[in-house]
């Protein structure tokens, strides 16, 4: 929620950290506040709550004790927030975050300045090869970046959910993680409760916690059950039919997606907008640093078509808020003790380490992955599932650059508690969402989904189409090879072997390698449209809401 820098200044022989170069994200659903005292200073940005915030902001003459009490009360704020606290006596800075991870804060620490951004790509320009953590980078090729403060750059840290990142007077960094979040187990249900109706009521209540008011809200409506629930709940409460939007997939399930969405649009009169992904390849044919494709460690894979869809929503509909189904898949997952051995092994591999890392990864790293997975830093069990936090992080820059803010009812603590406490039969096969969609009035034919509607075909065809240009560039230079992480010839072979029927494991490795190589080639290069610290001016963080 912040971007810019915090500089260490000296005035009349007194050193202080200055917020003059810091800017808070501006959006009607966000509010920010700056309080500066002789010993303690604070900047805060948080999501507005429809319930109001009588505790915000503290009075300008508040004492340190009152300010610290306010910070402690922030822990119970129902929506997401970030705070930066400066202790001028110790010349230290503390970055704190709430549970949501909607636009996570990245921090590059030094003794004279602290640079922050919600977009990891903003740190490429001033990085060099020595900043790259090769072990973290190699492990990212498996598709399993650990959720922790550590990132691809050894001097850039992510403020994870509910954590505190301390930067001392000399630029040293210390992380204080929170205790593990509660884990909810299935609970017997009362027989007199209408579970689908109760669940629809919960989603409606969660969407109402943001003061959406007269803001133009668009609902992601891919045709999947999660986004369909969100769109249906919005439609039930709206005066006029809601705006919906989707990327139109390619492949065998394309017609199915189109027909199912048509049924729902006809039933609810959604004001719909689609963007065919085939208008642009998922990735470019090479590693040009001027490309519109900007890879990050937690990558927005669909950024190119999404950018087109989002821009059209903003331009044609005036959209300011995007209601997403993010988190719906994770809420329905079976608990570990409910899974069979094969499913459990696959989930462990997805979350920590695949059983067979790609052979193009050099043995020195491939053979050490098990030790790395066991010993690497990991944040404690979070309030929201890790994959939800990573999805929020991946898409935050894309939404922010277009003035959008996401609201995700399924990515809320109350939703986690409700869904994870349901007996297995309500979660298996997304039974609850099927029942909710019927309750909301969706046609029965909409619930018939024999084919998986996803972007695997789009990814595969994009890689096949781009293979020639990528191969050409890799033969000239491969920075992953130079770091000793992959064998360039083996990577080129893996790319050349991708076919329409290739497995997701094979395609996934090449895609991760493309992204990491793209990042490494942008090290030391300022991205087009990126953060220009000369444009961050005094007064961008103030005591009034953005």
């Amino acid at each position: 929620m912040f971007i810019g820098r915090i500089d260490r200044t000296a005035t009349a022989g007194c050193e202080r950290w200055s917020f003059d170069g810091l800017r808070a994200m501006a959006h009607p659903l966000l509010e920010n506040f700056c309080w500066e005292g002789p010993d303690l200073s604070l900047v805060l940005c948080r999501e507005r709550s429809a319930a109001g915030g009588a505790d915000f902001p503290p009075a300008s003459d508040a004492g340190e004790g009152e300010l610290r009490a306010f910070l402690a009360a922030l822990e119970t704020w129902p929506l997401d927030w970030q705070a930066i606290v400066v202790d001028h006596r110790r010349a230290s800075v503390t970055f704190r975050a709430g549970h949501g991870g909607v636009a996570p804060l990245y921090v590059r620490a030094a003794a004279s300045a602290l640079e922050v951004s919600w977009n990891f790509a903003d740190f490429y320009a001033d990085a060099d090869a020595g900043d790259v953590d090769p072990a973290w980078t190699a492990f990212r090729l498996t598709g399993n970046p650990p959720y922790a403060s550590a990132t691809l750059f050894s001097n850039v840290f992510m403020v994870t959910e509910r954590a505190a990142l301390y930067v001392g007077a000399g630029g040293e960094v210390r992380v204080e993680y929170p205790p593990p979040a509660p884990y909810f187990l299935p609970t017997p249900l009362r027989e007199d409760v209408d579970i689908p109706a109760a669940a629809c009521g919960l989603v409606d209540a969660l969407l109402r916690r943001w003061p959406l008011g007269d803001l133009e809200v668009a609902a992601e409506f891919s045709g999947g059950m999660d986004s369909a629930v969100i769109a249906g709940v919005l439609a039930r409460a709206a005066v006029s039919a809601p705006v919906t939007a989707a990327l139109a997939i390619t492949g065998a399930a394309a017609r199915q997606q189109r027909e199912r969405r048509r049924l729902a649009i006809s039933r609810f009169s959604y004001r719909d907008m689609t963007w065919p992904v085939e208008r642009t390849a998922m990735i470019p044919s090479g590693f040009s640093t001027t490309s519109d494709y900007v890879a990050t460690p937690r990558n927005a894979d669909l950024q190119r078509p999404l950018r087109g869809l989002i821009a059209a929503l903003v331009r044609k509909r005036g959209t300011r808020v995007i209601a997403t189904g993010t988190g719906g898949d994770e809420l329905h997952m079976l608990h570990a003790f409910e899974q069979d051995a094969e499913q459990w092994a696959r989930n462990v591999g997805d979350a920590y380490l695949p059983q067979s890392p790609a052979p193009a990864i050099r043995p020195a790293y491939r053979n050490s992955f098990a030790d790395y997975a066991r010993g690497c830093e990991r944040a404690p069990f979070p309030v929201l599932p890790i994959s939800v936090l990573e999805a929020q992080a991946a898409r935050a820059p894309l939404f922010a650059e277009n003035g959008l803010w996401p609201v995700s009812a399924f990515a809320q603590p109350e939703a986690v508690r409700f869904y994870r406490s349901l007996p297995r039969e309500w979660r298996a096969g997304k039974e609850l969402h099927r029942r909710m969609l019927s309750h909301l009035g969706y046609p029965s034919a909409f619930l018939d989904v024999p084919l998986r509607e996803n972007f695997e075909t789009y990814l595969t065809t994009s890689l096949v189409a781009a293979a020639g240009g990528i191969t050409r560039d890799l033969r000239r230079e491969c920075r992953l090879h130079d770091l000793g992480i992959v064998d360039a010839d083996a990577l080129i072979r893996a790319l050349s072997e991708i076919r329409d029927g290739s497995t997701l494991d094979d395609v996934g490795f090449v895609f991760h390698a493309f992204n990491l190589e793209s990042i490494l080639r942008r090290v030391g290069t300022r991205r087009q449209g990126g953060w220009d610290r000369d444009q961050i001016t005094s007064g961008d963080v103030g005591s009034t809401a953005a």
Side-chain angles (χ1 to χ4, degrees):
M1 298 179 187
F2 293 102
I3 191 170
R5 56 189 288 146
I6 305 171
D7 290 294
R8 198 168 182 177
T9 62
T11 304
C14 178
E15 288 193 348
R16 291 175 63 88
W17 290 98
S18 168
F19 295 137
D20 285 350
L22 190 67
R23 177 165 59 89
M25 189 181 288
H27 191 276
L29 290 186
L30 299 176
E31 55 189 0
N32 67 77
F33 165 72
C34 179
W35 188 96
E36 295 193 69
D39 298 321
L40 205 66
S41 295
L42 161 73
V43 290
L44 167 70
C45 188
R46 72 181 183 185
E47 291 185 285
R48 293 182 186 273
S49 170
D55 59 334
F56 179 86
S60 58
D61 59 350
E64 182 175 329
E66 187 177 348
L67 195 63
R68 290 196 180 278
F70 169 71
L71 285 170
L74 265 180
E75 303 291 340
T76 62
W77 188 248
L79 297 171
D80 207 15
W81 58 272
Q82 292 171 5
I84 305 174
V85 183
V86 176
D87 187 331
H88 296 292
R89 292 162 299 195
R90 298 178 176 83
S92 64
V93 182
T94 303
F95 300 87
R96 306 190 70 93
H99 63 263
V102 183
L105 196 61
Y106 295 98
V107 180
R108 176 157 52 201
S112 60
L114 308 176
E115 297 177 349
V116 302
S117 181
W118 56 75
N119 190 345
F120 192 85
D122 284 332
F123 298 98
Y124 297 164
D126 296 317
D128 58 46
D131 295 329
V132 176
D133 182 341
W136 194 100
T137 305
F139 197 69
R140 180 65 183 90
L141 286 170
T142 69
N144 300 276
Y147 183 71
S149 65
T151 71
L152 183 143
F153 294 145
S154 59
N155 59 350
V156 176
F157 303 87
M158 181 170 71
V159 186
T160 56
E161 61 97 41
R162 299 177 299 136
L165 184 81
Y166 297 93
V167 182
E172 66 278 9
V173 175
R174 176 171 60 88
V175 180
E176 181 180 296
Y177 288 117
Y183 188 89
F184 301 105
L185 295 172
T187 304
L189 301 177
R190 286 170 43 185
E191 294 183 359
D192 61 339
V193 176
D194 185 336
I195 300 301
C200 288
L202 173 63
V203 172
D204 180 66
L206 292 176
L207 287 170
R208 290 178 185 273
R209 67 180 8 171
W210 290 276
L212 299 179
D214 296 329
L215 294 175
E216 185 65 60
V217 179
E220 283 187 324
F221 178 51
S222 64
M225 293 187 184
D226 305 331
S227 61
V229 166
I230 297 297
V233 170
L234 285 173
R236 186 173 65 171
V239 175
S240 59
V243 172
T244 54
L247 295 177
I249 66 172
T250 58
R255 181 177 179 181
Q256 175 183 282
Q257 181 206 32
R258 188 166 55 249
E259 288 301 307
R260 291 178 59 252
R261 294 187 77 255
R262 183 188 61 77
L263 289 171
I265 292 166
S266 175
R267 169 67 180 80
F268 295 102
S269 300
Y270 291 149
R271 292 177 289 155
D272 190 62
M273 180 179 294
T274 58
W275 188 273
V277 294
E278 59 197 9
R279 287 186 182 180
T280 179
M282 184 181 287
I283 60 172
S285 298
F287 298 101
S288 170
T289 56
T290 61
S291 169
D292 64 339
Y293 184 90
V294 183
T296 57
R298 287 175 169 83
N299 199 56
D301 304 341
L302 298 168
Q303 60 178 272
R304 298 182 96 191
L306 266 177
R307 188 173 285 114
L309 176 62
I310 290 171
L313 277 173
V314 172
R315 184 177 65 254
K316 295 180 180 179
R317 304 288 192 185
T319 304
R320 296 305 309 276
V321 180
I322 187 89
T324 82
T326 299
D329 288 336
E330 290 81 357
L331 295 180
H332 288 85
M333 285 183 63
L334 299 182
H335 293 281
F337 56 84
E338 296 171 333
Q339 300 172 18
D340 59 36
E342 180 181 351
Q343 186 178 22
W344 168 245
R346 183 171 62 252
N347 288 339
V348 169
D350 289 343
Y352 293 99
L353 181 67
Q355 295 181 354
S356 303
I361 301 172
R362 289 191 179 275
Y365 285 104
R366 192 169 67 246
N367 296 337
S368 67
F369 281 161
D371 290 337
Y372 186 90
R374 282 191 295 267
C376 67
E377 177 186 345
R378 294 182 188 271
F381 184 73
V383 172
L384 305 178
I386 289 174
S387 55
V388 173
L389 295 168
E390 295 192 331
Q392 307 261 50
R395 299 205 294 178
L398 200 57
F399 290 144
E401 72 184 30
N402 287 280
L404 289 183
W405 188 256
V407 297
S408 305
F410 298 135
Q412 300 299 315
E414 295 84 354
V416 172
R417 179 174 184 173
F418 179 84
Y419 278 78
R420 303 305 287 156
S421 298
L422 291 173
R424 182 184 191 279
E425 58 267 24
W426 284 96
R427 287 175 286 107
K430 291 200 172 180
E431 181 62 22
L432 176 56
H433 277 188
R434 291 178 179 275
R435 303 269 195 100
M436 291 170 71
L437 291 172
S438 294
H439 177 81
L440 290 167
Y442 277 83
S444 58
F446 180 84
L447 306 179
D448 183 20
V449 195
L451 300 175
R452 291 187 63 192
E453 297 174 5
N454 56 35
F455 297 94
E456 289 184 19
T457 299
Y458 176 47
L459 169 59
T460 302
T461 55
S462 293
L463 280 171
V464 170
I470 295 173
T471 297
R472 177 199 63 226
D473 288 354
L474 287 175
R475 283 177 173 156
R476 293 171 180 167
E477 178 187 24
C478 179
R479 297 195 179 182
L480 284 168
H481 180 97
D482 295 341
L483 284 172
I485 295 174
V486 303
D487 179 275
D489 291 335
L491 174 57
I492 290 170
R493 281 197 301 274
L495 175 61
S496 69
E497 291 168 0
I498 291 178
R499 300 289 185 271
D500 288 344
S502 294
T503 68
L504 189 58
D505 286 343
D506 293 336
V507 173
F509 163 71
V510 174
F511 183 62
H512 294 320
F514 173 83
N515 282 321
L516 288 169
E517 181 70 18
S518 296
I519 292 172
L520 295 175
R521 288 175 183 243
R522 287 184 182 249
V523 167
T525 302
R526 190 169 303 282
R527 68 187 181 90
Q528 186 176 6
W531 163 37
D532 183 349
R533 57 175 57 83
D534 294 333
Q535 295 180 5
I536 306 295
T537 59
S538 176
D540 280 323
V541 172
S543 58
T544 58

